[in-house]
Amino acid sequence: MIRHSENASESWKKLPWKQFRRNLFRLQKRVFKAVQAGDKRKAMSLQKLILKSKAARLLAIRQVTQLNAGKKTAGIDGKKSLTSEERFELEELLKASSNDWKHQKLRSIPIPKKDGSTRMLKIPTMADRAWQCLAKYALEPAHEATFHAHSYGFRPGRSAHDAQKTLFDNLKSHANGINKRVLELDIEKCFDRISHTTIMDNLIAAKGIKSGIFRCLKAGTNPEFPEQGTPQGGVVSPLLANIALNGIEKVHEKIDTQGRKAYPSVRYADDMVIILKPEDNAVEILERISQFLATRGMKVSNKKTKLTATTDGFDFLGWHFKVQSNEKFRCYPSVDNFKKLRQKVKAIVNCSNYGAKVKAEKLAPIVRGWRNYHKFCKMDSARFSLWHINHRTFKVFNKERKLDYYSTKKLIDKAFPSVPYSENRFVKVAGSKSPYDGDIIYWSKRNSNLYDNHTSRALKRQNHTCGHCGMKCISDERVHLHHIDGNHSNWRNTNLVALHESCHNYIHMGKREYQP
């Protein structure tokens, strides 16, 4: 039933989101375990229940309209946001058409690449994004049961830091990293060349989801390659790419000293490095990879794929990895990554549209995010110190505000928040574990350890649950630290509470009162 506009906002606010999450997770866990047990028929029946679930539909709509980073990006219909009433209308549409979803055309946005070329980001409409998110809820747990342990990109419970730690484990001195080589693999136009046949053949999905995914693929195809490509910008696209590339990690299979199978490779979406011992034949391995990709409509980029000695160093995921002559493994921010940070900071500091206080507020999340990403690197090198950027910012702020030294220093400390570093101390995800395996204790504790000191301590005090909705913090949704009294200078434990991002948003929008 469609709500009247004056009541829609209040009705949307009061929906039982906690119960919705619980209902959806229960179904997803059953899908995961059914595929693990080899019962795909049962898994597909459960996927149909997810598609029919009101909880899943409403959560999907909330995800794409309120939580996703691109929530205000318009599709071809020009809609940048939905009112609460329109969200309820969309839920009714999904209820009626989710088993026979028709995708609209995509809006194309050119994105510049490092080499000067451009790639096309293809944006679906809000409604199509909501359906894709609903389909992802059903597809992801099924394929999480089949994905390789060394695949880390765009998967729940995994991150780039897991890939970083895997490289450390394979290249540290105890692993004789100094004598190894690295094959840096680049797949030419991966997302544009993935075979639709490969995706559809490997998709574990009920009939209604399969037909919707097929139409989604066809909506974003290049006329020159009608049977290839998955649209970058779609909610489900990274999952489809992982489905197509799953298994490439097994191409270079080794037997370890205990007689177990080992896979000395690391994949993050379409970026991959393969670690080779002195006796490994790089040409033969690259040929097997080329054959694997050819059956999926893709090919290796000869221009960007290269074989590198670990002592020469290589870049991967914004880091530079290198084994030094003393056999010590080192990881630093890459030159390109550091350059991008400087450009972002410079653009804000030199902007004349707002003052030093606003600049400090805009700089803080950028600097904190960069430092958090590199917190497991070796960061005591002057080359990657932010001192020069900090000093330049200090002079600009001091000139603008004409403040005394201590007042300007206080602004600088706010703009450049410190983050503790612990080189190579990240704890990698255990084996093939997935958040859908139902091990809530493992995942809630692990997620607590992924955050900084204040957030981590708050989560531990709260028994790894959200301080607003009371649910365990085990999902992909980020955890935010909330200052109860609104004073962001008050860091007392009694003033800090860890919340889901969505719960935090509701509090600051004034739609719900926080009750400790």
Side-chain angles (χ1 to χ4, degrees):
M1 188 178 87
I2 300 174
R3 277 75 170 168
H4 294 294
S5 56
E6 61 269 20
N7 299 323
S9 178
E10 192 65 23
S11 298
W12 182 263
K13 176 187 70 174
K14 290 184 176 179
L15 287 171
W17 298 110
K18 179 178 177 179
Q19 187 61 45
F20 287 168
R21 286 184 191 176
R22 186 180 288 118
N23 292 347
L24 175 60
F25 183 72
R26 185 170 59 248
L27 286 172
Q28 289 178 314
K29 186 169 66 173
R30 291 175 66 192
V31 171
F32 178 86
K33 292 191 173 181
V35 175
Q36 261 194 335
D39 193 348
K40 291 185 180 179
R41 184 187 293 270
K42 181 180 178 181
M44 291 179 192
S45 296
L46 291 165
Q47 286 177 329
K48 291 177 184 177
L49 291 179
I50 291 176
L51 224 59
K52 293 176 182 177
S53 166
K54 180 178 181 179
R57 291 194 300 270
L58 288 167
L59 284 168
I61 293 167
R62 186 178 70 152
Q63 185 68 40
V64 300
T65 61
Q66 293 182 288
L67 300 180
N68 282 354
K71 58 183 176 287
K72 293 185 179 179
T73 307
I76 199 168
D77 60 357
K79 282 192 176 182
K80 290 185 177 181
S81 61
L82 299 182
T83 64
S84 296
E85 187 174 6
E86 287 172 327
R87 291 181 197 136
F88 282 116
E89 290 174 359
L90 179 53
E91 191 274 328
E92 295 287 346
L93 179 62
L94 287 173
K95 181 180 179 181
S97 311
S98 59
N99 265 313
D100 189 30
W101 190 260
K102 305 288 195 302
H103 271 73
Q104 299 180 58
K105 291 183 180 180
L106 309 178
R107 176 187 169 212
S108 297
I109 302 175
I111 304 293
K113 297 173 71 174
K114 280 194 304 186
D115 58 5
S117 62
T118 59
R119 65 180 176 90
M120 298 306 294
L121 193 66
K122 297 184 177 180
I123 308 297
T125 63
M126 286 281 189
D128 287 336
R129 271 180 265 174
W131 184 88
Q132 286 187 30
C133 188
L134 180 61
K136 185 184 175 185
Y137 286 157
L139 291 171
E140 190 169 65
H143 288 279
E144 273 295 305
T146 68
F147 283 157
H148 197 277
H150 285 192
S151 164
Y152 299 109
F154 303 110
R155 291 183 59 191
R158 282 169 158 72
S159 69
H161 290 126
D162 290 290
Q164 180 190 37
K165 183 65 172 181
T166 301
L167 287 172
F168 168 72
D169 291 341
N170 281 277
L171 298 178
K172 61 186 179 182
S173 56
H174 292 304
N176 200 25
I178 196 168
N179 294 323
K180 294 180 179 179
R181 298 162 294 158
V182 169
L183 184 61
E184 301 175 63
L185 182 68
D186 186 87
I187 302 171
E188 190 173 308
K189 296 182 178 179
C190 174
F191 281 85
D192 295 333
R193 296 292 180 268
I194 295 174
S195 165
H196 292 173
T197 304
T198 298
I199 293 173
M200 299 310 297
D201 288 348
N202 289 283
L203 206 61
I204 303 170
K207 186 178 178 181
I209 299 173
K210 268 199 169 185
S211 62
I213 292 294
F214 184 75
R215 289 166 185 156
C216 166
L217 293 172
K218 293 305 177 184
T221 52
N222 184 333
E224 296 179 27
F225 303 94
E227 301 300 321
Q228 292 177 282
T230 177
Q232 295 186 60
V235 176
V236 79
S237 296
L239 174 61
L240 298 181
N242 274 334
I243 291 170
L245 290 171
N246 188 39
I248 195 172
E249 303 87 355
K250 296 180 181 179
V251 170
H252 182 42
E253 181 181 294
K254 304 286 287 182
I255 305 298
D256 66 15
T257 53
Q258 283 79 37
R260 298 171 301 189
K261 288 182 180 179
Y263 305 97
S265 59
V266 181
R267 181 170 72 84
Y268 191 93
D270 60 330
D271 291 325
M272 186 173 179
V273 293
I274 300 168
I275 301 161
L276 307 179
K277 290 184 177 180
E279 67 270 18
D280 291 331
N281 188 326
V283 175
E284 180 186 326
I285 292 167
L286 191 57
E287 178 60 32
R288 293 207 302 269
I289 288 171
S290 297
Q291 290 173 5
F292 176 94
L293 292 174
T295 60
R296 289 155 173 78
M298 296 171 279
K299 64 179 181 179
V300 172
S301 170
N302 295 324
K303 183 180 178 182
K304 296 181 181 178
T305 297
K306 53 187 175 181
L307 184 65
T308 311
T310 55
T311 50
D312 293 335
F314 62 96
D315 289 353
F316 185 59
L317 301 178
W319 294 304
H320 183 74
F321 299 93
K322 187 175 183 178
V323 179
Q324 298 177 338
S325 55
N326 61 359
E327 298 192 19
K328 288 282 187 182
F329 173 86
R330 289 287 180 253
C331 173
Y332 310 92
S334 70
V335 172
D336 285 344
N337 183 275
F338 191 59
K339 183 179 178 181
K340 284 180 182 176
L341 173 73
R342 291 201 312 269
Q343 289 172 343
K344 286 180 182 178
V345 173
K346 186 178 179 181
I348 293 172
V349 171
N350 292 341
C351 183
S352 59
N353 293 339
Y354 34 77
K357 187 176 180 181
V358 176
K359 289 178 182 180
E361 291 172 352
K362 288 182 175 291
L363 283 173
I366 294 173
V367 174
R368 186 186 293 108
W370 187 84
R371 282 178 158 165
N372 270 317
Y373 189 73
H374 297 295
K375 69 189 294 184
F376 302 107
C377 293
K378 181 174 173 58
M379 293 298 291
D380 55 359
S381 166
R383 182 179 185 182
F384 301 106
S385 167
L386 298 183
W387 187 89
H388 291 288
I389 305 174
N390 188 310
H391 185 62
R392 164 67 181 161
T393 306
F394 181 93
K395 290 200 292 186
V396 172
F397 283 10
N398 190 253
K399 184 178 179 181
E400 286 181 358
R401 296 285 298 262
K402 293 184 173 60
L403 298 173
D404 60 83
Y405 173 85
Y406 293 104
S407 298
T408 308
K409 182 69 168 60
K410 192 173 180 180
L411 267 182
I412 290 295
D413 290 342
K414 184 178 181 179
F416 291 84
S418 61
V419 170
Y421 298 102
S422 49
E423 186 181 0
N424 298 324
R425 293 295 180 88
F426 181 79
V427 179
K428 189 172 67 173
V429 63
S432 298
K433 285 194 72 65
S434 168
Y436 299 116
D437 62 14
D439 191 350
I440 293 176
I441 294 174
Y442 171 84
W443 286 105
S444 57
K445 287 183 177 179
R446 173 176 172 77
N447 282 8
S448 298
N449 292 330
L450 296 181
Y451 293 95
D452 63 23
N453 294 339
H454 287 294
T455 309
S456 181
R457 285 199 295 267
L459 281 167
K460 287 173 183 175
R461 286 196 305 272
Q462 296 162 207
N463 194 24
H464 315 289
T465 60
C466 171
H468 185 70
C469 69
M471 289 198 67
K472 290 283 186 181
C473 296
I474 61 170
S475 67
D476 273 349
E477 190 174 346
R478 294 285 301 171
V479 173
H480 286 190
L481 192 64
H482 176 62
H483 294 71
I484 297 172
D485 66 359
N487 180 8
H488 284 238
S489 298
N490 182 358
W491 291 92
R492 293 180 180 177
N493 288 342
T494 53
N495 189 49
L496 302 175
V497 60
L499 307 171
H500 286 119
E501 180 184 1
S502 56
C503 296
H504 197 207
N505 289 344
Y506 272 126
I507 290 169
H508 280 287
M509 287 166 66
K511 292 188 176 181
R512 284 188 181 177
E513 292 296 327
Y514 172 69
Q515 295 177 353

